[in-house]
Amino acid sequence: MLLWGLVALLAVGRTPVSLIGSAITGRVVDHAAQINITQEYVYDGAEPSEGVFYLPLDSRSAVYHFETQIGDSITVAELQPRGVARKTYEEAVLQGDSAQLLEQ
């Protein structure tokens, strides 16, 4: 089964998180398209969960901005080398902080 969107990683496996709203806007500049996707999810789980967001992209695509909002807290992605990003993410999780890791 191909997954896309937000998936909660639980002890019992991967569980899709409820998508309750979605908006897509775009514009073409020269020979490139800029697409903005805004999605709203609700996680009803009783236990904290690690979430994974799957977004299938063409190999010629790039993500240049990514942000998440959980409650009133907004996190904007920061570009880091892969190994540094993974370490930053794991350290934040160990400290009990909310953390996001975007990998290509």
Side-chain angles (χ1 to χ4, degrees):
M1 175 172 80
L2 179 64
L3 294 173
W4 70 274
L6 187 60
V7 175
L9 301 181
L10 304 172
V12 295
R14 297 170 188 243
T15 303
V17 177
S18 299
L19 174 65
I20 62 170
S22 187
I24 300 173
T25 60
R27 66 185 186 140
V28 176
V29 178
D30 294 325
H31 295 287
Q34 175 184 332
I35 307 298
N36 298 303
I37 302 170
T38 302
Q39 295 180 321
E40 185 175 357
Y41 292 87
V42 173
Y43 174 65
D44 296 326
E47 60 188 76
S49 170
E50 180 176 5
V52 176
F53 186 81
Y54 294 97
L55 180 62
L57 293 174
D58 182 272
S59 63
R60 297 169 293 172
S61 301
V63 174
Y64 67 91
H65 181 83
F66 185 85
E67 69 182 40
T68 59
Q69 180 174 348
I70 300 173
D72 293 330
S73 176
I74 297 174
T75 303
V76 178
E78 174 185 314
L79 183 62
Q80 296 179 338
R82 186 178 300 250
V84 174
R86 166 82 41 202
K87 184 176 180 186
T88 301
Y89 170 78
E90 290 172 354
E91 288 174 355
V93 170
L94 285 174
Q95 293 175 13
D97 294 335
S98 176
Q100 294 81 39
L101 177 64
L102 178 65
E103 295 179 306
Q104 188 171 347

